[in-house]
Amino acid sequence: MDDKVSVGKISVSSDSVSTLNSEDFVLVSRLGDETPSSTNNGSDDEKTGLKVCFCTSVCVDQIVGNGSEQQLQRELEDVLMDPSVADAGHGPGTGMDSLGVGGRSPLPTTASPVAPGSDPLSSSPPKLEIVLPVQTAQESELNERSYRGDESSSDGSPGSPIPDEDSVVFSQLTYLGCASVNAPRSEVEALRMMSILRGQCQVPLDVTLSVPGVSEGTVRLLDPNNSTEIANYPIYKILFCVRGHDGTPESDCFAFTESHYNAEIFRIHVFRCQIQEAVSRILYSFATAFRRSAKKAILSSQQAAPLTPDSDLFTFTVSLEIREDDGKGTFSAVAKDKDKQSFKLRAGMDKKIVIYVQQTSNKELAIERCFGLLLSPGKNVKNSDMHLLDLESMGKSSDGKSYIITGSWNPNTPQFQAVNEETPKDKFMYMTTAVDLVITEVEEPVRFLLETRVRVCSPNDRLFWPFSKRSYTETFYLKLRQMERKERKSPASDTLYEVVSLESENEREKRKTTASPGIVPTGPGTGVPSPPEDDEEEDNDEPLLSGSGDVSKECAEKILETWGELLSKWHLNLSVRPRQLPALVRSGIPEALRGEVWQLLAGCHNNDHQVEEYRTLITKESPQDSAITRDINRTFPAHDYFKDTGGDGQDSLYKICKAYSVYDEEIGYCQGQSFLAAVLLLHMPEEQAFSVLVKIMFDYGLRDLFKQNFEDLHCKFFQLERLMQEYISDLYNHFLNVGLEAHMYASQWFLTLFTAKFPLYMVFHIIDLLLCEGISVIFNVALALLKTSKDDLIQTDFEGALKFFRVPVPKRYRSEENAKKLMELACSIKISQKKLKKFEKEYHTIREQQEQQEAPIERYERENRRLQEANMRLEQENDDLAHELVSSKIALRKDLDNAEEKADALNKELLLTKQKLVDSEDEKRRLEEESAQLKEMCRRELDKSESEIKKNGSIIGEYKQICSQLSERLEKQQTSTRGELEKIRSKVEGCEKCSSLFNKEGRVRAAVSTAPGGGSEETDEEKEALKSQLREMELELAQTKLQLVEAECKIQDLEHHLGLALNEVQAAKKTWFNRTLSSIKTVTGTQGKETA
């Protein structure tokens, strides 16, 4: 296959030359850049940095397998490849790639000759000898031819040899030698080899180095004496450039690594400069070579819009996206009807208008700001009828390529009433959007006007969004005239241009049509251009990109209800498929339900174990990692989800393919799996996609096509030809006449299940039928394709038929209507399994006859080759198993050592724990003894306290009784004494003599007359008696008071003792044996407080 080179443009200013002294120039592989869409990206300058990366892509595809199937090899060479790469044919002298499974062990191949003195295939340190790599004329010519490509023209080809005068020549250089390296992009490895070669170089060679000025050139080593070329290295083969670090002996050296003759061999070439400062200049020249890509400029000019000779014509791409409130606090892009090219809006919902403006040609004009965003119902509206929207944001995108303006639109306002009312079914109306931009270098604002179709539906309608939210895009051609200084409003103004004209692509087509009446426009309407993929003519030689076409999730309500009822019944018993399922699948599964239905059809509804296994598989290394990485970049390049290198889509796709290559060791990764995995990823998470992929490969028999030298695939070809003979005999006879066999056009149909070349709408429907009815559906679709294309194919020759299968056939089914008709025809074709079994037996019978008729030597040689391949594969597996066994033993030994160390630590810990347990038991016994003693002491103290309390209680009772008796006695004596005093007072008052002696209060008067002697004596005796009686009573009262005081002292003493006892009880409650005291008190039935 041809080597394709796409070199990304870099930016290196003259100021950054000095910063390149210690930097490296890394060539990063970027696959799939041959398509026109990817070449546009090369025109944009990347950010300047200290480390500069150059991107190159060498798309060399090889399918490895059995070399005896020559015809199959010839026709399957473009299977599963990017269309732009598949177009590159083989020249008569380049040989053929072998057929097989990508990623499996290839047949032994003879590597290109290696310079003597180096062992490029050895992983051990290279044998360092000073060897000058001299290429023969034949090898040089082979390199040039593989670089240019067989399909490139000789005149103006991007791969044409670059003349010598377009290069920079450096003299006073010394070539120190070369060596093989295993890590061609490792700076550490390169510096190590540079140090070794510089130190061991004994016979240096003076050379002159010629570095080209463009990436399509060749670095040449020349003899400084006669300028004779010694060796040459194409720029696209150089992988890495590095110079020695400052302050080291290698600071005057530089080196570069190169891929040796397209093989997996890498060499490093080391040079020394006599002038140390020249090293930076040499590396700068390498940077210039990669920056100035003539090829990319040519490709960009081929796909750019046709420009007039006027250099003041600027091209802009303006895209319109309408977003609608989804009721969840966010705004989602509205759907767009693919057939009618109209936006579908819901009435009464708040909306946002998003405009993307990107300049695609001529020098970049700086957009300063947005002057206004306007909207109006209808088309061809006046400026006065436009209504200004509220701007929310404006500014450049994250990549700096586009200018984005966002405005809010309230459709409920009166001026937008026309686009807020439901439109009749199958009707639409126009809406005009305008954006005014202020461009720094243009004198006046520039207005881009977009007229689009819209259809307004009820806000309650269910809308199913398409996979990629499609926006309306229009190309504008802005013609400017450079103003003279005197014409400017201000001499210091930044404005350099004035607007001459602004014309859209649609207006340009109208003008051309008016100028040429014989040309009839083919677009569906004058205001809305068709999508780019729909505008391509079928006679265009460019194949359809894989992943083309949008599939809408919109579906009729009745169909969704039918599927909803079916799924409800199906979920009740997942082991049995509903009877009406096949009929519904033949009509196509609704896009919104495909992910769920595919998993149910494949039997992946309960796959938790496989999900866990997948998460383990992605952590393992895959032997086919390089093949997977190469194919990922060219899988579905036309789909937004997979087109970004390193994006989420490519990352998930890489993990699925890697996991399967580890899961299925016999087959590994097969080229074509990435397309099928991509189809599944569009409908389900990667874990479920992996499970369904495994089911299709194993349960549906797809992996059998890759086994036994594609024996089953050849059987499928035979069955297809027999079916053609039965159903389309005239086309079968025509193919026989022109020598066209089934494997020449149907290989990818079986290997990729039509996923590689056909539009997604058709691909999804085929997968529907495949999961429902089995892999035999491929025969139905193949026969339907051949039937619908029969009239065209009969008129073609051998080459025309191959081209027809490659280009027009896939493009024909970009229309959903054509794809539906094709699938209806495929479903109507009845192919019995009995018939297929019969054809299979015929094939095996013919194969046996061929083997018997084959010469024994040839048969034995073929068998020997097969056995050798099996032996090589088994040896490789044995080596892998041995390596895995050794690794496992080492890992087990480490685990065992760790386990023993852990066991020792645990034993020590166990002994310590046992000792702690013994100590704890001793402490427990000691505490139990103390507890028993304390309980006994507490019991005794409690008994003593209770007895004292009882004694004190009895004493208090007796004291209270005595006090009460004394009180009663005292009261009685006082009462009797008062009575006697009353009697005495009455007698004294009744006696005339006595009344004179006492006053009314009963006291003796001071002056008392002398009474007679007899009366006074009687009175004195009576007084004495009363006095003695009074003294006795007072003495008795004093004794009683003394007893009362003594009783109170005893009571106070008892209360003091009781308080101490209560305090001791309360303190005991706060200790660890409080429960014991409580239990003892409960048993005795007494409490201190209650007793008190």
Side-chain angles (χ1 to χ4, degrees), residues 84 101 103 363 435 478 546 554 680 690 812 959 968 1055:
S84 60
V101 182
K363 82 162 195 174
V435 58
L478 176 63
S546 64
E554 187 173 353
L680 299 176
F690 172 77
R812 179 172 296 178
Y959 171 75
E968 291 176 358
E1055 287 178 350

Side-chain angles (χ1 to χ4, degrees), residues 1012-1033:
S1016 62
E1017 293 178 355
E1018 186 177 354
T1019 304
D1020 294 336
E1021 291 178 355
E1022 188 174 358
K1023 288 182 179 179
E1024 291 293 331
L1026 290 174
K1027 287 181 181 179
S1028 62
Q1029 188 177 359
L1030 181 63
R1031 282 195 297 272
E1032 290 177 359
M1033 291 180 65

Side-chain angles (χ1 to χ4, degrees), residues 462 556-571 580 584 590 593 596-597:
R462 297 178 62 186
E557 193 73 25
K558 185 177 181 181
I559 296 176
L560 287 175
E561 291 177 357
T562 304
W563 273 98
E565 295 174 358
L566 181 140
L567 290 175
S568 300
K569 295 179 182 177
W570 196 357
H571 279 288
Q580 64 271 32
L584 290 176
L593 303 176
E596 178 184 1
V597 177

Side-chain angles (χ1 to χ4, degrees), residues 706-896:
F706 298 91
K707 296 169 60 177
Q708 300 177 357
N709 296 328
F710 298 90
E711 188 67 23
D712 194 37
L713 180 61
H714 283 287
C715 180
K716 293 288 191 291
F717 293 152
F718 179 81
Q719 291 172 320
L720 178 59
E721 290 180 341
R722 293 288 284 111
L723 291 171
M724 286 181 59
Q725 187 178 4
E726 182 174 336
Y727 288 94
I728 326 171
S729 57
D730 49 352
L731 184 59
Y732 172 77
N733 294 328
H734 175 70
F735 282 178
L736 285 181
N737 294 333
V738 299
L740 189 64
E741 300 179 9
H743 63 79
M744 299 178 181
Y745 57 86
S747 303
Q748 59 174 317
W749 296 356
F750 288 96
L751 294 177
T752 70
L753 305 179
F754 295 93
T755 58
K757 301 294 182 182
F758 288 87
L760 291 180
Y761 179 86
M762 177 178 167
V763 169
F764 294 166
H765 201 163
I766 293 173
I767 302 298
D768 295 344
L769 296 174
L770 173 80
L771 292 173
C772 183
E773 302 181 10
I775 200 170
S776 60
V777 169
I778 304 301
F779 293 111
N780 297 67
V781 180
L783 288 178
L785 281 172
L786 294 170
K787 275 189 174 183
T788 54
S789 306
K790 181 181 69 173
D791 296 337
D792 297 316
L793 288 170
I794 289 179
Q795 301 175 6
T796 61
D797 56 4
F798 178 84
E799 294 181 357
L802 290 179
K803 180 179 178 181
F804 187 81
F805 279 117
R806 183 168 52 86
V807 181
V809 169
K811 287 186 176 182
R812 179 172 296 178
Y813 300 103
R814 291 174 299 177
S815 168
E816 290 186 8
E817 183 179 355
N818 292 343
K820 286 181 180 178
K821 291 180 180 178
L822 175 70
M823 299 310 296
E824 290 174 359
L825 178 60
C827 294
S828 65
I829 299 175
K830 302 300 180 183
I831 303 176
S832 64
Q833 294 296 323
K834 183 177 180 180
K835 185 179 296 184
L836 293 176
K837 290 290 184 182
K838 175 185 175 183
F839 294 156
E840 184 178 355
K841 290 181 180 179
E842 290 181 11
Y843 171 76
H844 289 301
T845 303
I846 294 173
R847 289 290 293 174
E848 291 176 1
Q849 293 176 358
Q850 290 177 353
E851 291 177 359
Q852 293 176 0
Q853 295 174 0
E854 189 177 8
I857 296 178
E858 295 179 357
R859 184 168 67 253
Y860 291 148
E861 288 179 349
R862 178 170 53 81
E863 184 67 16
N864 185 38
R865 286 194 299 271
R866 187 182 65 81
L867 293 175
Q868 284 180 353
E869 292 177 9
N871 183 48
M872 289 177 61
R873 180 172 56 82
L874 292 174
E875 286 181 354
Q876 181 64 34
E877 291 179 0
N878 184 45
D879 293 341
D880 295 340
L881 290 174
H883 177 71
E884 185 176 354
L885 178 61
V886 172
S887 302
S888 301
K889 286 184 177 179
I890 295 174
L892 288 175
R893 182 70 259 176
K894 291 181 179 179
D895 293 341
L896 182 60

